[in-house]
Amino acid sequence: RKGRGGRTHVVSEDGIVGLGLSGNLRDGSWLNFARRVLSSHWWHDVNGCPKTAQGLFVPNKEVVGKARDVSSRHVHKYAISDFAHGIPMFPINGACLYPATEMQLRIFEPRYKAMVKQCVENKEVFGFIPKDDKNNKFVDTIGTIAYVKEIIDMSPDGESTIVIKGLRRFKFKKGCSLRTQPGSFGLNYADIQFFDDTSDDSDDETFATTEGFGTELQLLAAKAQRFLGGDQHLMTSAHDMSFLLADALPAPQQLKMRWLKSMSTADRLNETIEFLSNYKR
């Protein structure tokens, strides 16, 4: 049926099944209209008009060229904040992201293509939440905020391969649940509260265990380097090393979640070292 403003839609008894848009795609108001209409139905794909897809999902070219290793400009406010509101969430099965670690992702759903555009253009972060492989539910309302460190490739419709880097851990604020926002293609948002390791890891015994990674990890250095991909991490802090090992080791998800929740650098480092020393493969 022909509608106003160059809209054509095909209607069945179940509702809208097809929608055609035509107009001046350089007009921001027209693009906002397309976003509202398409996202309200959580469409799984947007075909037929490259300019519409580009406007909805592809970051500005000038911004993309600068989206490489820009952590200092992204994250200062999140390094000192206790809370953050309206953070987009990216749930994924069978994976944990830790602070100081990186992960490569393939982005293809409209809601996450829109999320990447938003995060890159506005120098914002998103929340990475682990999901359970078996029941497809959140393992916990705990995750890690991350930023887009690098865009490896991006197609004209916004599908992309990106590298993300973890920053700080969070939990949902008390009483908060996931919510969607208009124009987001069904993307979930949440209000979060940050948490970090406690500062009680400073006694002599703990310091001797963690600082310099201790004698045991030094003896296991060759084994550790096999998982870490070399020795470039061996001069990093004990805090970051505990997360780098947690990320690299082939531990079950339940144990990886334990390390994500842990608020003790010493405990997490000791547990990852113990796992490393007992790993036989």
Side-chain angles (χ1 to χ4, degrees):
R1 299 178 182 178
K2 189 72 173 180
R4 292 183 179 181
R7 306 191 302 271
T8 303
H9 53 272
V10 180
V11 180
S12 71
E13 295 179 355
D14 298 324
I16 297 178
V17 296
L19 177 67
L21 301 176
S22 62
N24 183 3
L25 296 175
R26 295 180 181 178
D27 186 343
S29 61
W30 181 260
L31 191 59
N32 287 334
F33 166 77
R35 181 181 293 108
R36 288 198 307 271
V37 172
L38 296 174
S39 66
S40 66
H41 295 279
W42 294 14
W43 288 56
H44 293 288
D45 205 355
V46 179
N47 293 313
C49 182
K51 287 187 177 180
T52 299
Q54 184 176 5
L56 293 173
F57 304 125
V58 178
N60 182 286
K61 289 183 179 180
E62 294 181 3
V63 177
V64 171
K66 299 176 182 178
R68 293 177 180 269
D69 219 4
V70 288
S71 57
S72 61
R73 297 199 298 275
H74 275 75
V75 306
H76 177 68
K77 63 181 178 181
Y78 297 107
I80 61 177
S81 301
D82 293 324
F83 302 94
H85 301 280
I87 300 297
M89 293 288 129
F90 185 91
I92 191 168
N93 290 333
C96 284
L97 180 72
Y98 301 96
T101 68
E102 298 179 6
M103 184 180 295
Q104 183 172 304
L105 298 175
R106 183 67 187 169
I107 304 298
F108 55 90
E109 287 189 43
R111 54 182 168 178
Y112 300 126
K113 293 193 294 186
M115 181 192 76
V116 168
K117 176 181 171 70
Q118 170 189 328
C119 289
V120 170
E121 289 188 344
N122 299 326
K123 296 182 172 62
E124 281 296 338
V125 299
F126 63 94
F128 187 101
I129 313 178
K131 292 180 72 176
D132 188 273
D133 282 328
K134 295 181 180 178
N135 57 26
N136 203 35
K137 294 182 179 179
F138 293 135
V139 176
D140 211 325
T141 54
I142 286 176
T144 303
I145 59 166
Y147 72 96
V148 180
K149 180 181 179 182
E150 181 179 355
I151 298 174
I152 297 176
D153 62 65
M154 178 169 286
S155 68
D157 66 354
E159 288 193 15
S160 62
T161 302
I162 62 174
V163 176
I164 64 172
K165 186 166 185 176
L167 301 173
R168 287 181 76 188
R169 293 168 293 169
F170 68 84
K171 57 185 177 181
F172 286 4
K173 287 184 66 176
K174 188 176 181 180
C176 171
S177 58
L178 293 174
R179 63 183 183 274
T180 59
Q181 295 181 1
S184 68
F185 292 88
L187 184 63
N188 289 307
Y189 293 79
D191 300 330
I192 60 176
Q193 177 179 354
F194 295 110
F195 69 94
D196 302 296
D197 284 357
T198 56
S199 56
D200 59 357
D201 289 350
S202 58
D203 58 87
D204 292 340
E205 182 178 356
T206 301
F207 185 82
T209 301
T210 59
E211 193 67 14
F213 318 128
T215 303
E216 186 174 2
L217 185 53
Q218 291 174 7
L219 293 172
L220 292 168
K223 200 172 184 179
Q225 289 174 33
R226 179 160 61 91
F227 287 104
L228 295 173
D231 61 0
Q232 67 270 25
H233 300 299
L234 294 183
M235 295 303 292
T236 191
S237 68
H239 172 271
D240 287 357
M241 175 58 78
S242 70
F243 285 123
L244 289 167
L245 281 172
D247 176 63
L249 295 175
Q253 188 179 30
Q254 184 177 4
L255 186 54
K256 284 184 174 281
M257 281 300 300
R258 173 186 171 89
W259 294 336
L260 183 66
K261 295 178 182 180
S262 173
M263 297 177 66
S264 169
T265 299
D267 287 350
R268 185 170 51 252
L269 188 57
N270 287 333
E271 287 187 17
T272 53
I273 290 173
E274 181 180 4
F275 183 93
L276 179 65
S277 63
N278 292 330
Y279 190 71
K280 302 299 183 183
R281 189 173 178 179

